[in-house]
Each structure stands twice: as C-alpha cells, then as structure tokens.
Amino acid sequence: MRAVVLEAAERPVRVRDWPEPQVRPGERLVRIKACGLCGTDVKLRAGKVPGVRLPLVLGHEPAGVDVETGRPVVIYPHLSCGRCVNCVEGHENICLATRGTLGITAHGALTELVSVPAGSLIELPEALDFEHGALAGGVVAVSLCALRKMGPVLDRWVIVAGLGGLGLVGIQLLVAAGARVIASSRSEEKRRLALELGAAAAVDTGGSYEEEVRAITGGVGASGAVDFTGAGEHVGRLIRCVRRGGRVVLVGYTSGTLSLPYAEVVMNGVDVMGSRSYTREDVRTALGLMERKKVDLLVDRRVSLEQVDEALDQIASGTVTGRVVAVLP
Ligand SMILES: [Zn+2]
Ligand SMILES: [Zn+2]
C-alpha cells in the first residue's frame, strides 16, 4: 500500500510502498479516508520533535472506515495504556505509560490501512463526512481540551491569541459557550475573520495590546487567555492582560525556556497551565458540536497523498488560513 513517509529530517516527505499492517489481538483495521495536516507535521519534517524514530509514516488526525463493521470512525491517535492513574481519571492525553502517538512516535495514518486498538475508534455521526471527522480530533478537540481548563466562561472576557485553525475554532467554541472573546493576531485579515465568527473585539499583537485589553474589559483585565501562538514572548504579555486570579492556558509551544513576569504571576495569583492534545471525550463533544453546526471547519485545501509535502510547505509559510486535509479515495 502507499504511505507518506518521513525518511530523514529536513528532507521532503515522499509517498512510497509500505507493508500492510498486521492486525494483532484487540485491534481493528481501519481504511483511512481523510487525515488532517498541521504544524506538528511541519515540525516533524524539520526534525524538531523529540523521541521520533525514522522512517516514520506521518498522519495523526485520521478518520476512516472500520473494515470489520463498515462504519465510519475517527481514530484517537494516542496509544494510551488505559490503566495508569491519568488514564483512569480520564486524562488519557497525558497517559503515564503511553505506547506513543500515531504519526509522531508511532507509524501514522497518511496511508491506506492502519491497525489500532479497538478502544481508539470513535464512531463518526452520519451527518458528518470524513474531513469533519479528521478535524474533530485534530482541531476542534484540541481547542476544546484547552478551553475546558479555562473554567467558567459564560459572559466572561477570554482572549484567544493566535488565529490559525485552532484559534478560529476556539473563538467559535467560546462564543457558543457564551464568552466575550477578544481575538489577538498580527494579521488584519484574521482579525476581521475573528469578528465575523463572533469575537467581541480583536486586537493587533503588533501594538501595545495589554492596554487595549484593559480598556476593553473596563480596566480589569480578561478572565482568561488561551495561547495558540507558541511564541514565548506573548505569554508574559498575556499574563499582564488577565485580571487577578485569571488563567492563561498554553497550547502552542516551542522547545526551550519560557520567561515569565515572576512577581505578577504570584502577586496576582495567575494560573498558568499547559494543555496537551485531547481526550476521547473531547472528540465526542467536538463531533456533537459539529453535528449541530456550532463550529465551522474552515477547510482551506484538500490534497492527495502525493501533494502532502507541498502542503506542508504552505503550512510552514503561514499562508494557509484554515486547515489542510489529505483525502483518500
Ligand atoms: Zn495536528
Ligand atoms: Zn495510561
């Protein structure tokens, strides 16, 4: 079968012949129909993700058909153990004994067939197609998982920093939950899009947006902020944008060290939290919200396996507004 394989860091990924998966006991074979592409794939190709063994089949945002039942499914990509304290408490995204993540630390789904633990399959509702299924996990659930950490948002000011696919979905989720959203981005086009999606205000991160946020929130500051930029210099600024007792949730990241305004975090009692990926429950919630059209997907491009490398170039260049999905026949 064909697969999109990363053979060496800083080299183009290519489509090559790959052996069909062996189905082990307790596993299910899935015929892949769609798989989202994102900045993580770009980081993988650049050799910037630790713990990766090459060659690697990419693809961590998959949906397809359960070969045994013929039913459409979303695949949960983390091979979590199901038994550790984090798994038992419903945080399988941060499993203590994980066997890896499809497309990152285990072979992924940018291929025709994968075999995964039966518990990794989440049924895709009839009203949604495979693209929606793929992005339910890779985009909507990631955003949801971070926003759950925000606590109550009804009628509260929440900043969404970074308006890529995740940020634009985050705005829609927060609006659906009754929050007052302040979107922040350097791009005027993305700020305009944020306002169209229901953000109450949009600020330019090029300027002194801390003062702007204060003014918008009546001098108090926002209840919370979620950072999708992964640009460390923003985090200190977001800490200054939230009110006393506010919360800053980090989703984007880079390697290296983050410097924080120490005294302000302590004296203002600000919570700074990390949010990684998503749980199965987040996928189910995401599918439900998408079924009820609370979230618009903003698919920018559909590509074939052969076009994946070129699509990663586009994602890396920042010229993609929404999401890119690889689709298989
Ligand atoms: Zn991704
Ligand atoms: Zn576990």
Side-chain angles (χ1 to χ4, degrees):
M1 63 179 190
R2 294 176 311 142
V4 176
V5 181
L6 175 67
E7 294 176 320
E10 298 181 80
R11 303 283 303 160
V13 297
R14 66 183 189 101
V15 178
R16 58 173 256 199
D17 204 39
W18 195 260
E20 285 198 11
Q22 303 236 333
V23 184
R24 288 174 293 192
E27 288 190 345
R28 295 283 266 276
L29 193 64
V30 177
R31 181 165 294 282
I32 301 298
K33 289 291 187 182
C35 186
L37 304 175
C38 78
T40 299
D41 299 300
V42 173
K43 273 190 208 164
L44 282 160
R45 190 181 61 165
K48 288 184 179 158
V49 179
V52 174
R53 275 178 303 180
L54 303 179
L56 174 76
V57 178
L58 294 182
H60 61 276
E61 302 178 359
V65 176
D66 178 348
V67 171
E68 194 180 308
T69 62
R71 289 237 173 102
V73 290
V74 175
I75 300 176
Y76 185 69
H78 300 298
L79 301 169
S80 45
C81 76
R83 290 180 299 274
C84 74
V85 61
N86 281 357
C87 280
V88 168
E89 290 181 357
H91 308 298
E92 66 268 26
N93 52 326
I94 46 172
C95 169
L96 299 171
T98 179
R99 288 192 291 117
T101 301
L102 298 186
I104 299 173
T105 43
H107 289 308
L110 278 168
T111 183
E112 295 170 50
L113 292 165
V114 295
S115 183
V116 292
S120 304
L121 305 188
I122 300 159
E123 205 160 314
L124 181 59
E126 255 175 45
L128 299 177
D129 60 20
F130 293 109
E131 287 172 22
H132 285 77
L135 298 176
V139 187
V140 184
V142 176
S143 215
L144 257 171
C145 188
L147 296 176
R148 277 197 293 118
K149 290 207 163 179
M150 195 64 71
V153 296
L154 186 61
D155 201 41
R156 295 189 181 194
W157 288 104
V158 179
I159 302 164
V160 175
L163 303 181
L166 289 174
L168 293 173
V169 164
I171 290 170
Q172 298 175 61
L173 294 171
L174 283 164
V175 168
R180 305 183 193 202
V181 178
I182 303 172
S184 88
S185 169
R186 216 166 232 180
S187 151
E188 194 186 340
E189 188 199 335
K190 288 181 177 176
R191 292 200 301 275
R192 194 176 331 113
L193 190 52
L195 293 172
E196 278 170 27
L197 291 172
V203 298
D204 182 355
T205 43
S208 60
Y209 66 86
E210 293 93 326
E211 284 164 34
E212 251 183 280
V213 169
R214 294 266 156 205
I216 291 166
T217 57
V220 182
S223 274
V226 56
D227 180 68
F228 294 109
T229 68
E233 70 271 15
H234 279 305
V235 179
R237 300 183 72 182
L238 289 174
I239 285 168
R240 296 193 171 103
C241 286
V242 296
R243 70 184 194 204
R244 288 191 171 165
R247 194 166 280 188
V248 179
V249 180
L250 311 183
V251 184
Y253 68 96
T254 50
S255 54
T257 309
L258 181 63
S259 125
L260 300 178
Y262 204 166
E264 281 155 60
V265 171
V266 176
M267 300 310 284
N268 292 335
V270 174
D271 293 332
V272 181
M273 313 169 99
S275 179
R276 175 185 180 168
S277 198
Y278 53 92
T279 66
R280 288 177 179 80
E281 188 189 340
D282 292 319
V283 180
R284 275 189 290 271
T285 308
L287 291 167
L289 289 167
M290 290 160 81
E291 214 181 348
R292 291 191 290 127
K293 302 200 186 306
K294 297 291 182 190
V295 187
D296 185 359
L297 266 180
L298 308 160
V299 175
D300 213 49
R301 259 193 89 189
R302 292 159 185 86
V303 300
S304 66
L305 293 186
E306 285 74 17
Q307 292 170 314
V308 166
D309 193 69
E310 184 207 329
L312 294 184
D313 289 340
Q314 282 191 325
I315 295 171
S317 72
T319 54
V320 182
T321 317
R323 292 303 271 208
V324 184
V325 185
V327 289
L328 286 90

